[in-house]
Amino acid sequence: MTDTPTLGSTDAVWMASRRSAAVERLDDLSMPSEREEIWRYLDLDFDPAFRTAPLTAGSAGSTDAVLEMWHGNTVSVVDGFVVTEGVPTIAEASDEIALVNDDHMFATAFTAYAPGAALLTGDHLGKPLLVDVQNTSDATTFPGVHIAVPRGTEATVIVRLRSTTDAPATVVPTVTADVSDNARLTLTIIQDWNYNTRSLGRAVIELGRDATLVLAEIGLGAKIGRLHLDVNFVGNGSTAKIYGAYFGEDDQTLDYRYFMNHIGMHTRSDMFLKGAVEDEALSVFTGMIRIEETGQKTEAFQTNRNLILSSGASAQSVPNLEILANDVMCGHGSTVGPLDEDQRYYLMSRGLTPESADRLQVRGFFEEVVQQIPDEAIAAWIRERINGKYVAAQEEGRV
Amino acid sequence: MSSALEVRDLKASIGDLEILTGLDLVVPFGEVHAIMGPNGSGKSTLSHVLMGNPVYEASGSATIGGVEIMDMTVDERARAGLFEAFQYPTEVPGVTLDDLTEEMAISTPSDDGFEQRTVAASERLGMERFRERAVNVNLSGGEKKRSEMYLLGVANPKVAILDEIDSGLDIDAVREVADMVESLRGPGLGIVVITHYSRILRYMSADRIHVMVGGRVVRSGGPEIAEELEADGYTAYQVAAAG
Ligand SMILES: Nc1ncnc2c1ncn2[C@@H]1O[C@H](COP(=O)(O)OP(=O)(O)O)[C@@H](O)[C@H]1O
Ligand SMILES: [Mg+2]
């Protein structure tokens, strides 16, 4: 392990000025209003306690199921600090890396208080990489990961967000990626915070010419689990498949704001998210396909399917289009509803109890997404986690 | 000894629509019976009502090997020995045939023959390449019927109701399905083949044929009935039923 890092001490010149501008700007910003569309469904009545951001990493949690089955490389980020030796941060990088430029409190606080996102480049991406992001206390933290995939190469990265305690915390996890020309990034984000955590997540991914992104986000944990994603199709011929699977229970809010920004020609995006909610949970999917005048020949699709498993649970599903080009192809589909009666009847006619029939149906529902996860052992673990939540809900009579 | 299936005065409706209007049917163990009737006569409704589909309001009696099933849930009826091969088998995305047969075995812990029957039925019907695929998803008509016959082999029921197992198939496939039915015939099983056309009956032997019109059986008899229907159609029965 390296010497314990402290905030800002290793900033490059550009970062130091960016950080101090953000600290200043933060004085003028307050909690965003739920009246603004982008924050609409979140309960923002809490103290973000930015000034509790730790100055050093807490002691890392023990290894766990996912780490134990992982055979690739691992990078650890604890309480926002990169603690794996030999992994630099973007704050130290000589050239500016700044893909997030939102002017609101959480993003600005990230710039002001994040020690520096782990900078993953060709050196680290030779084989599949697991980024183990841990929160160890109730402090507000700013973990970041930046992935730079060099021209013509392929990278597989799994980002796992987890809490090592039950402490309530606010966290602003930020994942950015720059996928160069002809490069390919397979990125999986597993959001597995404890149920007391408010996670205001942000992701921005930029695609070069003929670059490919396969992104899957699995939403398991958090009290507020938000992910605001922008994919910028800058290069001609860039493509992205965006998968999502989320299972909400308790009073969780899982809030996905996905923006596909088609700038280059012949670009293609395909969003495919599936979720289930039970108990008092709420899920939100707001998809936006935005095609600029320059984005001719773009094909863009968005699909969001939701299962409502309890009467107190609900799902909002809002696909949007903003098209400035005239030669494009777009499609969208969105459904919100209960388990399928015909499937239940068919499975029961084969001798399955209603409980087994529904369990199988729920598992099948998520399978199209779970099978996209680039590691079979982790995919099996996710299947088990979702299944476990559903079985617990059955046993406790919530579904 | 009790019959495989015994149905008495079975009635079923949806809202104000009466579909089954007092149906009687007896199928002894070891026999294959055919139910023939025009479209809309209630053939699929009969199989769904016997299976316990909650969409229908039903009354009357039905027994499997002497055990009354009308007060049972769908899964209880299946475990009591009833199998319905669906006319339109339901797609179950993301769930493979292997997942399903595994759950079938878990649901009936008292029966330890599942694994053996899975292997045997899979070999007999050439199902190897389908077992890792999602149940009924992206299958042709013939493949769906084959898959249903496979599940029948795995379930090992006392009564099998095969609803239009021959519809939508070309003549070679019909012959194949007829062979499968013949090979199922045995002393522990009563088979009901529901069909609109007499075509499949050319390739298999039915012990008895029942003509169903207007939600009830209007005539029962030997194989000669199929020939009559092939020549004359259902018109005479329909006129009589309406009259
Ligand atoms: N689930 C249902 N909802 C509404 N009507 C139905 C339903 N099932 C059957 N029916 C009606 O009952 C009649 C008999 O249908 P069905 O049993 O499918 O006939 P068959 O299989 O002999 O062609 C038809 O008029 C059909 O429209
Ligand atoms: Mg029918």
Side-chain angles (χ1 to χ4, degrees):
Chain A
M1 208 158 279
T2 50
D3 292 339
T4 314
T6 53
L7 190 62
S9 62
T10 57
D11 280 357
V13 176
W14 66 270
M15 183 64 212
S17 67
R18 207 175 136 84
R19 192 186 295 279
S20 61
V23 169
E24 212 167 288
R25 175 75 185 127
L26 204 51
D27 285 337
D28 299 331
L29 292 170
S30 52
M31 191 63 110
S33 162
E34 291 145 45
R35 283 191 302 272
E36 286 174 65
E37 164 55 30
I38 186 103
W39 300 102
R40 181 167 160 200
Y41 296 99
L42 296 183
D43 177 2
L44 295 172
D45 188 16
F46 64 94
D47 176 8
F50 294 140
R51 285 174 179 81
T52 68
L55 293 173
T56 61
S59 58
S62 58
T63 182
D64 80 330
V66 170
L67 284 176
E68 264 159 31
M69 69 177 112
W70 182 248
H71 297 297
N73 296 318
T74 304
V75 166
S76 293
V77 177
V78 177
D79 296 334
F81 293 88
V82 178
V83 299
T84 302
E85 214 166 326
V87 178
T89 71
I90 65 172
E92 309 156 354
S94 48
D95 293 331
E96 177 166 345
I97 300 170
L99 286 172
V100 179
N101 288 295
D102 312 336
D103 185 36
H104 60 69
M105 199 182 70
F106 294 105
T108 305
F110 184 92
T111 307
Y113 293 121
L119 175 54
L120 308 173
T121 58
D123 295 347
H124 312 102
L125 301 174
K127 63 174 182 167
L129 180 67
L130 177 77
V131 185
D132 180 35
V133 179
Q134 304 179 21
N135 239 24
T136 70
S137 71
D138 63 353
T140 298
T141 68
F142 301 91
V145 176
H146 178 76
I147 306 160
V149 190
R151 281 175 82 98
T153 65
E154 295 190 9
T156 297
V157 179
I158 297 176
V159 177
R160 164 111 187 274
L161 308 170
R162 65 171 172 136
S163 313
T164 61
T165 68
D166 285 334
T170 299
V171 51
V172 185
T174 302
V175 177
T176 55
D178 187 346
V179 188
S180 306
D181 297 350
N182 287 307
R184 180 186 181 93
L185 173 61
T186 302
L187 175 62
T188 305
I189 299 173
I190 303 171
Q191 188 275 91
D192 192 18
W193 303 118
N194 70 30
Y195 280 2
N196 299 316
T197 294
R198 293 178 173 90
S199 178
L200 288 306
R202 184 70 171 105
V204 180
I205 298 175
E206 205 148 285
L207 303 177
R209 189 171 41 78
D210 293 323
T212 303
L213 169 70
V214 180
L215 169 65
E217 197 269 359
I218 311 296
L220 298 172
K223 182 182 188 64
I224 292 176
R226 144 174 275 235
L227 181 57
H228 174 190
L229 164 72
D230 274 288
V231 179
N232 300 324
F233 299 78
V234 177
N236 293 342
S238 51
T239 66
K241 282 199 166 248
I242 311 293
Y243 295 97
Y246 47 89
F247 190 106
E249 58 185 345
D250 216 69
D251 65 344
Q252 282 183 283
T253 299
L254 300 173
D255 178 24
Y256 298 100
R257 303 281 175 157
Y258 283 13
F259 296 76
M260 300 293 118
N261 307 305
H262 293 270
I263 301 147
M265 276 184 58
H266 283 287
T267 58
R268 186 184 163 101
S269 67
D270 197 346
M271 289 187 267
F272 187 81
L273 284 83
K274 289 185 131 182
V277 280
E278 48 111 338
D279 212 353
E280 309 268 290
L282 164 68
S283 71
V284 180
F285 169 73
T286 305
M288 168 63 88
I289 293 170
R290 185 183 157 82
I291 306 178
E292 302 288 344
E293 268 171 76
T294 49
Q296 298 293 4
K297 310 277 184 199
T298 287
E299 291 179 16
F301 305 94
Q302 52 186 329
T303 305
N304 176 227
R305 309 222 175 278
N306 295 280
L307 288 178
I308 308 292
L309 300 171
S310 317
S311 57
S314 59
Q316 297 290 336
S317 182
V318 189
N320 298 286
L321 293 173
E322 213 176 290
I323 302 177
L324 306 176
N326 54 21
D327 183 13
V328 303
M329 196 160 97
C330 294
H332 60 83
S334 117
T335 54
V336 176
L339 284 170
D340 185 70
E341 294 285 348
D342 291 340
Q343 287 189 46
R344 179 185 292 140
Y345 170 57
Y346 182 79
L347 293 170
M348 285 175 70
S349 81
R350 298 301 172 244
L352 276 59
T353 61
E355 293 76 22
S356 312
D358 290 352
R359 194 161 37 71
L360 213 56
Q361 188 183 149
V362 167
R363 173 175 154 181
F365 175 80
F366 284 111
E367 191 54 32
E368 272 175 297
V369 172
V370 175
Q371 69 191 10
Q372 300 300 327
I373 291 164
D375 181 275
E376 191 37 55
I378 290 184
W381 176 82
I382 286 167
R383 251 176 228 121
E384 266 319 297
R385 284 292 304 278
I386 293 176
N387 187 49
K389 285 175 192 281
Y390 185 67
V391 170
Q394 279 185 328
E395 283 168 358
E396 289 154 29
R398 292 194 303 271
V399 295
Chain B
M1 194 181 126
S2 50
S3 300
L5 176 66
E6 226 177 294
V7 180
R8 295 291 170 209
D9 197 25
L10 190 65
K11 293 182 181 162
S13 55
I14 294 186
D16 290 339
L17 179 67
E18 287 179 35
I19 308 174
L20 301 183
T21 55
L23 184 140
D24 297 290
L25 179 69
V26 177
V27 182
F29 279 109
E31 293 195 3
V32 177
H33 288 205
I35 293 182
M36 302 187 64
N39 275 331
S41 57
K43 303 184 300 297
S44 292
T45 300
L46 170 63
S47 59
H48 287 316
V49 166
L50 289 176
M51 198 72 246
N53 189 323
V55 166
Y56 303 92
E57 187 125 3
S59 69
S61 158
T63 58
I64 302 280
V67 177
E68 179 63 49
I69 59 166
M70 289 304 284
D71 50 3
M72 294 182 180
T73 59
V74 176
D75 55 317
E76 286 167 351
R77 296 181 196 208
R79 295 197 296 271
L82 179 63
F83 185 93
E84 175 188 5
F86 284 52
Q87 178 173 2
Y88 303 108
T90 309
E91 296 184 8
V92 192
V95 174
T96 67
L97 259 187
D98 271 356
D99 294 335
L100 174 53
T101 53
E102 212 170 286
E103 288 292 336
M104 285 166 68
I106 294 169
S107 303
T108 317
S110 57
D111 177 351
D112 58 11
F114 273 93
E115 200 178 321
Q116 196 199 328
R117 294 198 301 272
T118 301
V119 173
S122 165
E123 228 163 75
R124 185 157 35 91
L125 297 172
M127 289 303 291
E128 277 311 326
R129 67 203 170 90
F130 293 102
R131 288 171 53 186
E132 285 297 322
R133 287 175 53 176
V135 176
N136 297 321
V137 177
N138 293 328
L139 298 187
S140 72
E143 287 166 349
K144 282 184 186 167
K145 308 285 176 182
R146 178 177 292 269
S147 178
E148 291 288 272
M149 295 302 279
Y150 166 66
L151 292 174
L152 196 170
V154 173
N156 192 31
K158 294 189 176 81
V159 172
I161 298 177
L162 314 178
D163 191 6
E164 307 260 0
I165 197 84
D166 55 334
S167 70
L169 303 187
D170 63 31
I171 197 69
D172 290 334
V174 169
R175 204 174 294 197
E176 231 171 273
V177 167
D179 288 346
M180 290 180 210
V181 175
E182 280 296 339
S183 71
L184 287 172
R185 190 191 273 272
L189 179 64
I191 300 176
V192 179
V193 175
I194 292 178
T195 182
H196 177 77
Y197 301 105
S198 47
R199 203 171 56 154
I200 191 172
L201 301 177
R202 283 184 225 148
Y203 307 107
M204 52 173 276
S205 59
D207 299 290
R208 264 183 99 66
I209 293 178
H210 309 275
V211 180
M212 185 167 170
V213 175
R216 68 174 71 136
V217 172
V218 295
R219 185 172 171 212
S220 298
E224 71 283 356
I225 290 185
E227 286 154 37
E228 277 174 40
L229 285 173
E230 192 155 8
D232 306 334
Y234 294 107
T235 318
Y237 296 106
Q238 282 166 303
V239 169

